[in-house]
PDB file of all heavy atoms in Angstrom:
ATOM      1  N   ILE A 256     111.773  73.275 123.740  1.00 96.00           N
ATOM      2  CA  ILE A 256     112.002  74.579 124.410  1.00 96.00           C
ATOM      3  C   ILE A 256     110.845  74.855 125.351  1.00 96.00           C
ATOM      4  O   ILE A 256     111.011  75.461 126.399  1.00 96.00           O
ATOM      5  CB  ILE A 256     112.130  75.698 123.338  1.00 96.00           C
ATOM      6  CG1 ILE A 256     113.290  75.408 122.398  1.00 96.00           C
ATOM      7  CG2 ILE A 256     112.315  77.060 124.016  1.00 96.00           C
ATOM      8  CD1 ILE A 256     113.380  76.359 121.213  1.00 96.00           C
ATOM      9  N   VAL A 257     109.678  74.345 124.972  1.00 96.00           N
ATOM     10  CA  VAL A 257     108.472  74.385 125.792  1.00 96.00           C
ATOM     11  C   VAL A 257     108.063  72.943 126.057  1.00 96.00           C
ATOM     12  O   VAL A 257     108.021  72.132 125.097  1.00 96.00           O
ATOM     13  CB  VAL A 257     107.337  75.186 125.148  1.00 96.00           C
ATOM     14  CG1 VAL A 257     106.028  74.988 125.888  1.00 96.00           C
ATOM     15  CG2 VAL A 257     107.708  76.676 125.126  1.00 96.00           C
ATOM     16  N   ASP A 258     107.754  72.622 127.306  1.00 96.00           N
ATOM     17  CA  ASP A 258     107.283  71.259 127.646  1.00 96.00           C
ATOM     18  C   ASP A 258     105.771  71.188 127.633  1.00 96.00           C
ATOM     19  O   ASP A 258     105.097  72.181 127.967  1.00 96.00           O
ATOM     20  CB  ASP A 258     107.795  70.892 129.035  1.00 96.00           C
ATOM     21  CG  ASP A 258     109.304  70.682 129.082  1.00 96.00           C
ATOM     22  OD1 ASP A 258     109.873  70.281 128.050  1.00 96.00           O
ATOM     23  OD2 ASP A 258     109.889  70.965 130.142  1.00 96.00           O
ATOM     24  N   GLU A 259     105.231  70.048 127.273  1.00 94.00           N
ATOM     25  CA  GLU A 259     103.774  69.813 127.277  1.00 94.00           C
ATOM     26  C   GLU A 259     103.503  68.563 128.112  1.00 94.00           C
ATOM     27  O   GLU A 259     104.011  67.486 127.852  1.00 94.00           O
ATOM     28  CB  GLU A 259     103.248  69.634 125.855  1.00 94.00           C
ATOM     29  CG  GLU A 259     101.740  69.583 125.750  1.00 94.00           C
ATOM     30  CD  GLU A 259     101.193  68.160 125.900  1.00 94.00           C
ATOM     31  OE1 GLU A 259     101.856  67.236 125.415  1.00 94.00           O
ATOM     32  OE2 GLU A 259     100.097  68.020 126.462  1.00 94.00           O
ATOM     33  N   ARG A 260     102.727  68.773 129.188  1.00 94.00           N
ATOM     34  CA  ARG A 260     102.325  67.649 130.045  1.00 94.00           C
ATOM     35  C   ARG A 260     100.844  67.760 130.373  1.00 94.00           C
ATOM     36  O   ARG A 260     100.412  68.799 130.872  1.00 94.00           O
ATOM     37  CB  ARG A 260     103.143  67.632 131.337  1.00 94.00           C
ATOM     38  CG  ARG A 260     104.618  67.293 131.177  1.00 94.00           C
ATOM     39  CD  ARG A 260     105.308  67.119 132.524  1.00 94.00           C
ATOM     40  NE  ARG A 260     106.724  66.842 132.381  1.00 94.00           N
ATOM     41  CZ  ARG A 260     107.668  67.774 132.318  1.00 94.00           C
ATOM     42  NH1 ARG A 260     107.336  69.061 132.384  1.00 94.00           N
ATOM     43  NH2 ARG A 260     108.933  67.432 132.184  1.00 94.00           N
ATOM     44  N   ASP A 261     100.123  66.710 130.048  1.00 93.00           N
ATOM     45  CA  ASP A 261      98.697  66.663 130.390  1.00 93.00           C
ATOM     46  C   ASP A 261      97.945  67.901 129.843  1.00 93.00           C
ATOM     47  O   ASP A 261      97.070  68.443 130.512  1.00 93.00           O
ATOM     48  CB  ASP A 261      98.483  66.552 131.889  1.00 93.00           C
ATOM     49  CG  ASP A 261      99.140  65.323 132.470  1.00 93.00           C
ATOM     50  OD1 ASP A 261      99.125  64.275 131.819  1.00 93.00           O
ATOM     51  OD2 ASP A 261      99.681  65.420 133.607  1.00 93.00           O
ATOM     52  N   GLY A 262      98.339  68.327 128.651  1.00 92.00           N
ATOM     53  CA  GLY A 262      97.628  69.440 128.021  1.00 92.00           C
ATOM     54  C   GLY A 262      98.027  70.798 128.546  1.00 92.00           C
ATOM     55  O   GLY A 262      97.413  71.824 128.180  1.00 92.00           O
ATOM     56  N   LEU A 263      99.077  70.876 129.380  1.00 96.00           N
ATOM     57  CA  LEU A 263      99.576  72.137 129.926  1.00 96.00           C
ATOM     58  C   LEU A 263     100.968  72.419 129.373  1.00 96.00           C
ATOM     59  O   LEU A 263     101.797  71.502 129.268  1.00 96.00           O
ATOM     60  CB  LEU A 263      99.604  72.118 131.464  1.00 96.00           C
ATOM     61  CG  LEU A 263      98.245  71.946 132.164  1.00 96.00           C
ATOM     62  CD1 LEU A 263      98.469  71.863 133.669  1.00 96.00           C
ATOM     63  CD2 LEU A 263      97.311  73.087 131.793  1.00 96.00           C
ATOM     64  N   TYR A 264     101.230  73.690 129.077  1.00 96.00           N
ATOM     65  CA  TYR A 264     102.488  74.076 128.446  1.00 96.00           C
ATOM     66  C   TYR A 264     103.264  74.991 129.386  1.00 96.00           C
ATOM     67  O   TYR A 264     102.721  75.932 129.964  1.00 96.00           O
ATOM     68  CB  TYR A 264     102.223  74.815 127.131  1.00 96.00           C
ATOM     69  CG  TYR A 264     101.476  73.984 126.125  1.00 96.00           C
ATOM     70  CD1 TYR A 264     100.088  73.967 126.096  1.00 96.00           C
ATOM     71  CD2 TYR A 264     102.154  73.172 125.223  1.00 96.00           C
ATOM     72  CE1 TYR A 264      99.377  73.202 125.166  1.00 96.00           C
ATOM     73  CE2 TYR A 264     101.465  72.407 124.283  1.00 96.00           C
ATOM     74  CZ  TYR A 264     100.068  72.420 124.269  1.00 96.00           C
ATOM     75  OH  TYR A 264      99.410  71.644 123.365  1.00 96.00           O
ATOM     76  N   SER A 265     104.565  74.726 129.516  1.00 96.00           N
ATOM     77  CA  SER A 265     105.402  75.511 130.387  1.00 96.00           C
ATOM     78  C   SER A 265     106.830  75.585 129.815  1.00 96.00           C
ATOM     79  O   SER A 265     107.214  74.746 128.990  1.00 96.00           O
ATOM     80  CB  SER A 265     105.427  74.932 131.813  1.00 96.00           C
ATOM     81  OG  SER A 265     105.915  73.605 131.794  1.00 96.00           O
TER      82      SER A 265
END
Side-chain angles (χ1 to χ4, degrees):
I256 301 172
V257 168
D258 291 329
E259 188 270 326
R260 290 187 181 90
D261 301 323
L263 297 177
Y264 300 90
S265 59

